[in-house]
Amino acid sequence: MVRDGLDDVRALLSGVLPDVRLSADRDLGGSDRSRVSRVHARWPDGAESSVVVKQFLAAGEGWAREAAALATLPDEAPVPRLIAEGAAPPVVVATDLGAGSSVADALLGDDRDAAVEAVLSWAEAMARLHRSGLGRRDRFRAELALRAGDLPVVDHVMPAVVDEAALLLERRCDELGVAAPRGAYSELRQLARDLGAGENASISPSDACPDDNVQTADGLMIVDFEGAQWRHVAWDLAYLSVPWPTCWCAWRMPADVSERALERYRHTIEDALPYVRTARFRTDVAAAALGWAMVSAAWLLPEALDDDPPPRDPAKVMPRRRALILHRLDVARRSAAESAPARLAGQLRSVLLERWGEPPLGYAPAFDSGHAEPGS
């Protein structure tokens, strides 16, 4: 008998739909944490369709977070619908959103107008996602608790993420002889607590990268919730100005495109979240951009100090680490010139410039046509 890797999924679905028939269709890739595939399904009523099966390769938080987020979000959310899930082995079966293009496809293309529209669609999709999650924190916590077992899976992780990054930065700055301004690390940690999980928060995928979405007839849909958490909306919106701090497709974007996208987000959600009409919203997005710039620089520094190798995957068109670090430190130092973390970013950047020179971070290929901005 030919093994197609779907036995666990068949066993899972048999308890709900005993007569469903599955056959392997296409491997959609994945990571060192999960494997994603499109599977053809023949349902008990004779109908046929495809579903997406995400098999998690190791026990951990990823399955619990993804299943909990999809179980929490209502039908109007721009995400796949959860069909079934299993804990042993960890697997999620969801509706197939199709083979549409992603924002990354547009950014790596050669059509500037298409790239602009893709980024605007991303902002609108994030607004729809945040809107659909508003007020559902208790439900999300309960869904996480159902799946967490003995794991300490908390619903809000940004303070821990920033704490860890601040510790990494402190170590590297000490090694490089960078004397941090008084209070720099404590202010950075406080930033994460100020942008907490209160009333201006919603469900976030945590890693809303340009390739974690699919264009459909109903608009852009967001996929990949294995890092899902409850957090302040500013953390997601800051992806437009850093940009894309947790992603491989982290090229620069023109400031006017980022601004238009932010306005698209505000227009889409403002009736449900009036906070986005306030000056505080802009301040918070800038603070989140400072936070992401420092966090992502901390993550990239260890390998970049030793070397600046090309991407491990030659098929991926992506920036080099040193260019990313210098650009993100520049974002941080410009974001709040009087803050101690911003001054630390400027000092660290100056030291790194002496070591590396200034490798430029280019614009995403779709925007890279001699584009220049003041101060760039």
Side-chain angles (χ1 to χ4, degrees), residues 94-311:
T95 53
D96 184 7
L97 299 177
S101 61
S102 69
V103 176
D105 294 328
L107 293 175
L108 298 177
D110 57 8
D111 186 333
R112 186 184 192 280
D113 291 341
V116 171
E117 187 53 42
V119 174
L120 297 181
S121 295
W122 180 90
E124 183 173 332
M126 293 307 299
R128 292 169 58 208
L129 173 63
H130 289 163
R131 172 197 286 269
S132 67
L134 291 174
R136 290 177 177 261
R137 186 179 191 182
D138 288 345
R139 169 72 183 274
F140 181 51
R141 281 174 162 170
E143 296 288 354
L144 273 178
L146 282 174
R147 297 162 177 85
D150 294 331
L151 289 174
V153 182
V154 298
D155 70 329
H156 176 58
V157 304
M158 287 311 296
V161 168
V162 176
D163 282 350
E164 181 180 0
L167 185 60
L168 289 171
L169 274 177
E170 187 170 9
R171 289 173 181 166
R172 295 300 172 182
C173 286
D174 286 347
E175 293 170 5
L176 293 167
V178 177
R182 183 181 179 86
Y185 302 115
S186 59
E187 284 186 32
L188 182 59
R189 291 182 170 95
Q190 185 59 43
L191 180 155
R193 287 155 178 78
D194 291 342
L195 293 177
E199 60 182 350
N200 300 317
S202 185
I203 290 179
S204 167
S206 283
D207 196 17
C209 295
D211 58 343
D212 285 336
N213 48 74
V214 179
Q215 186 64 51
T216 74
D218 296 320
L220 195 73
M221 299 289 181
I222 307 297
V223 300
D224 191 359
F225 282 79
E226 62 186 72
Q229 62 172 298
W230 187 266
R231 73 180 181 190
H232 197 291
V233 299
W235 289 110
D236 287 334
L237 271 295
Y239 270 49
L240 293 166
S241 54
V242 176
W244 319 115
T246 62
C247 312
W248 62 267
C249 189
W251 304 96
R252 294 177 67 190
M253 286 200 304
D256 64 305
V257 176
S258 299
E259 178 62 25
R260 287 177 61 187
L262 191 62
E263 284 304 307
R264 175 72 68 90
Y265 175 88
R266 289 176 58 166
H267 178 73
T268 305
I269 201 175
E270 62 184 355
D271 61 325
L273 190 63
Y275 152 76
V276 301
R277 302 187 188 118
T278 69
R280 181 67 189 179
F281 171 66
R282 291 278 185 168
T283 301
D284 288 344
V285 172
L290 168 61
W292 273 132
M294 299 298 277
V295 166
S296 57
W299 289 341
L300 293 169
L301 260 175
E303 289 187 351
L305 287 172
D306 295 330
D307 196 5
D308 195 17

Side-chain angles (χ1 to χ4, degrees), residues 57-68:
L57 305 181
E61 295 188 10
W63 169 78
R65 291 188 180 279
E66 180 128 16

Side-chain angles (χ1 to χ4, degrees), residues 12-13 16 81-86 91-94:
L12 171 65
L13 290 179
V16 182
R81 303 270 66 79
L82 182 65
I83 296 173
E85 58 177 290
V91 61
V92 166
V93 182

